[in-house]
Amino acid sequence: MTENDFNRRDFLKVLGWGGTAVALSGCGNTSIQDGQETVTSYVELPSYVIPSISNYFNSTCAQCDAGCNIMGRVREGRVLKAEGNPNSPINRGKMCGLGQSGVQAHYNPDRVRQPLLKGEAITWDKALGVIAQNLSAVKGAEVAFLTGGMSGHVQALLGNYMDALGSKNHFSYEAISPAVLRAANKKAYGVSMPRYRIDKAKVVVSFGADFLGAWVSPVHFTQQYAQFRKGNRPEGRGVLVQIEPKMTLTGANADRWIAVRPGTEGVLALGIINALGKAGLSIPADIAAVSNAYTAERVSGETDVSAEQIGKLAALLKERTPSLVLAGGAVEGYAHGSQNATAIALLNRVLGNVGKTVEATASVPFPQIAPTVGNRSSLIGLNDGLAAGKYKVVFSYGVNPVFSAPASLKFRDNFAKAEFKVAFAQYMDETALAADLVLPLDSAMEDWGTVVPEYMAAPAEDHSAAYAQMSFRQPLMQKVFPDTRGVGDILLALLKQREADKYKEFEDFYSYLRSAVLKNKVALGGKATDDDETFWDNTLSQGIVPFKGIANPVSAKASAAGLKLPSAVTADSSYPLRLIPAVSASMRDGRNANEPWLQESPDPLTTIVWDSWVEINPKTAAKLGIVEGDIVEVASKSGSIRTQAYLFPGIHPDAVSVPVGYGHEAMGRYAKGVGANVFGMLDTVFDKETGELALNETSVKISKVGQRVIIVKEEGPVGGSQDGKKKIAVQVSADKVDLSKEV
């Protein structure tokens, strides 16, 4: 690379190191390798390949956005299994079932294998030519690119590509997003995603944060939870209280599970603050001015949590410090979701937890590779532009909005208005089917990349606020299907169509990535004198590159100013029940629904497999004359689904819950036609502060349709006799149990 081709600043940007804190090693001391591979006869294997002996290669899981570091077990050229990388601060050698199923995603027979133009297989040259042809007829402002959350050098290339097109229309969308929590945290603590120290707390009160299931970084939090539960730690064994209208996996593990009326979590938080003040805790004046109105009697009436329970919670929090109070998805999904999260954050300030169990974290000094998080308001922005005819060429990568957008948005129809639609896809999901051109992607076990996690965990021995890391993703084996490509390679090819001179040095994404890392090895923990080859090999061997981030102090500035929670709302008699779309640890937003291991894995609470269901409190079901297995219609003002009824005492009588991720119309043989899609029937109600779609604001009614099935589940009879000899447990009728007392 020479200065004659383009200037140094441009060169840094090309490599993804644009930013204020970049620190490059000396230039001109690298050799760019093109990633060319040597084909070796199977009878002349490399020395490290010994038949029947496994090798392990470090990489990064792509099954969710937590970015767990993994080791791929490879034997005779085939990846067999993934394990957790024991050196990872995120998952510390552990993995979840969702991560384990990544191997199945890699070998899935329903992957797209060739570029498809309106359903017809074409060559890559033709596919790239068609893109160039369609882009030549539009302006940059008429091009939009929709992705999920992103980070690393693929994101850097995407940013460069959008710049080359002259477009600022990158939309980042997550169907299940903690966007409201991020905004509330930013106001309360000064950072959108602080470090939570469950392991240091003596008591954790979680308002619907399913941190053992599907919240933010569950494998990391599970490790902390294991420490929290140990009786021999200095703080003693921790106590967990879970407050939510629908029991989650975390709720099932809690010492005390408290069912709260949907949407009243913020009211309960203020009631607890008021009770703490009456118990003698000093409450800041601005908070007391708001919380004083929330007497135990009032709060009990609005939330369905008894005054006695509120008093016990306050006493527990006052007695056992430090504590930690969490706000999860269950509190975000309302028009007043931000207000709920703000009220709950006040508890951490009142209890003095900020700086103890809510810690500072680091941001990344390289903006081009720093995480870009998604939300639903971004999708709405794209949808509005499509409806207005603003975008003529639309790319999508890593998202499936045709499946996950509420039907009332009419995204499918608006997407069709774009003149040319390109989907980067592994499967023919609903969005890929609606695209004109489909580009088949490598799996995460075939592709190169770097990942910077949004939730920046730190090593157990080093909780420095400046700790940051970048993780590597590398191929664990040859491609299963030879005509797929990595997303980085595709973007590089598209960039060469626009700015050939800038990228001519890089034959492929591997050479780009290697060059980018070696150019900045000092900032990544190396020395300028380190041998490039040795540094690169060590980097890939470790799979994790720690570096010094920008420490962001947390501040206890959570304020009650402007906090105003709505009064209790009388239910609509036509739609008397609140619908809670449930996010499971396995299915998440449905992007992994075509992995049969996940379909076969029983739901942790209901044990149901291969279908969706609606959870109904037994008392509510008795009023409606519904028994387990009845097929019911769940109807809102925006749509309806039909599914099987499951009577579940772990849900508030005013609510029903349906898991998300099921009900695909496409996506392959294991996903298509399994269950019902609850996304489609959601009302378009938005959080008033962030504009985020309020997932729990849909009211529904339920009616039987005259069918009944035997639910396929792992759950067997509880209690009774064992081979007719002895009772092994007490059996309690489902409509009699009170889980807030029993757990």
Side-chain angles (χ1 to χ4, degrees), residues 406-423:
S408 52
L409 283 183
K410 298 182 178 178
F411 182 84
R412 187 194 297 264
D413 297 337
N414 292 328
F415 190 52
K417 293 178 180 177
E419 294 174 3
F420 186 62
K421 302 167 286 294
V422 184

Side-chain angles (χ1 to χ4, degrees), residues 200-255:
K200 288 175 64 177
K202 290 183 179 179
V203 57
V204 172
V205 175
S206 164
F207 288 80
D210 186 18
F211 59 82
L212 298 179
W215 187 69
V216 183
S217 190
V219 180
H220 175 71
F221 292 133
T222 300
Q223 301 292 303
Q224 287 197 17
Y225 182 71
Q227 298 296 316
F228 171 78
R229 284 301 207 188
K230 286 184 177 177
N232 59 356
R233 65 177 190 148
E235 300 87 353
R237 183 179 184 276
V239 175
L240 171 61
V241 179
Q242 185 81 359
I243 301 167
E244 55 197 359
K246 177 257 182 298
M247 180 179 279
T248 59
L249 181 59
T250 304
N253 281 276
D255 297 285

Side-chain angles (χ1 to χ4, degrees), residues 10 40 56 90 195 217 256 338 383 535 575 607 628 649 722:
D10 287 342
T40 305
Y56 291 83
I90 301 172
R195 284 189 192 130
S217 190
R256 184 70 63 190
S338 289
N383 188 59
F535 182 82
Y575 299 92
T607 75
E628 180 177 301
Q722 187 173 36

Side-chain angles (χ1 to χ4, degrees), residues 138-144 165-169 390-393:
V138 300
K139 300 174 183 175
E142 296 173 322
V143 181
L165 291 171
S167 171
K168 299 184 182 299
N169 305 317
K390 188 176 176 182
Y391 306 123
K392 295 181 178 177
V393 177

Side-chain angles (χ1 to χ4, degrees), residues 18 20 32 41 46 59 243 324 380 442 448 525 554 563 567 571 604 618 714:
T20 56
I32 297 175
S41 166
S59 190
I243 301 167
L324 175 62
I380 292 164
D442 290 344
W448 289 98
V554 290
L563 180 61
S567 303
E714 300 275 325

Side-chain angles (χ1 to χ4, degrees), residues 483-504:
D483 218 13
T484 59
R485 288 190 183 181
V487 63
D489 284 308
I490 299 172
L491 288 171
L492 189 62
L494 293 175
L495 271 164
K496 286 181 177 178
Q497 289 180 341
R498 319 288 300 187
E499 298 176 333
D501 286 347
K502 283 188 180 179
Y503 296 91
K504 64 184 180 184

Side-chain angles (χ1 to χ4, degrees), residues 419-612:
E419 294 174 3
F420 186 62
K421 302 167 286 294
V422 184
F424 293 53
Q426 273 190 255
Y427 302 110
M428 288 301 292
D429 59 24
E430 289 81 354
T431 302
L433 274 179
D436 300 293
L437 177 65
V438 179
L439 303 179
L441 292 179
D442 290 344
S443 79
M445 294 186 175
E446 299 166 329
D447 203 2
W448 289 98
T450 51
V451 177
V452 179
E454 179 194 12
Y455 185 86
M456 194 65 77
E461 66 280 3
D462 175 19
H463 271 276
S464 164
Y467 177 87
Q469 74 170 64
M470 182 171 68
S471 306
F472 274 77
R473 186 171 290 147
Q474 60 179 311
L476 303 179
M477 60 173 279
Q478 292 280 7
K479 296 179 182 181
V480 176
F481 305 112
D483 218 13
T484 59
R485 288 190 183 181
V487 63
D489 284 308
I490 299 172
L491 288 171
L492 189 62
L494 293 175
L495 271 164
K496 286 181 177 178
Q497 289 180 341
R498 319 288 300 187
E499 298 176 333
D501 286 347
K502 283 188 180 179
Y503 296 91
K504 64 184 180 184
E505 298 280 344
F506 313 114
E507 184 170 339
D508 54 22
F509 182 62
Y510 169 84
S511 63
Y512 168 86
L513 181 62
R514 186 178 185 278
S515 181
V517 170
L518 293 180
K519 288 291 184 187
N520 207 17
K521 63 185 177 185
V522 172
L524 299 177
K527 298 177 182 176
T529 55
D530 285 348
D531 175 71
D532 283 352
E533 198 66 36
T534 302
F535 182 82
W536 176 247
D537 287 347
N538 287 340
T539 297
L540 294 185
S541 177
Q542 296 296 320
I544 305 167
V545 179
F547 61 89
K548 186 176 181 180
I550 302 172
N552 297 308
V554 290
S555 61
K557 63 179 183 182
S559 170
L563 180 61
K564 188 175 182 180
L565 292 162
S567 303
V569 178
T570 304
D572 182 343
S573 58
S574 299
Y575 299 92
L577 298 168
R578 186 63 64 94
L579 174 66
I580 300 177
V583 183
S584 74
S586 294
M587 207 54 64
R588 302 295 178 97
D589 62 2
R591 75 183 72 174
N592 308 105
N594 198 31
E595 294 160 30
W597 287 354
L598 300 178
Q599 295 278 9
E600 189 73 18
S601 298
D603 176 76
L605 300 184
T606 66
T607 75
I608 296 173
V609 299
W610 286 105
D611 208 341
S612 55

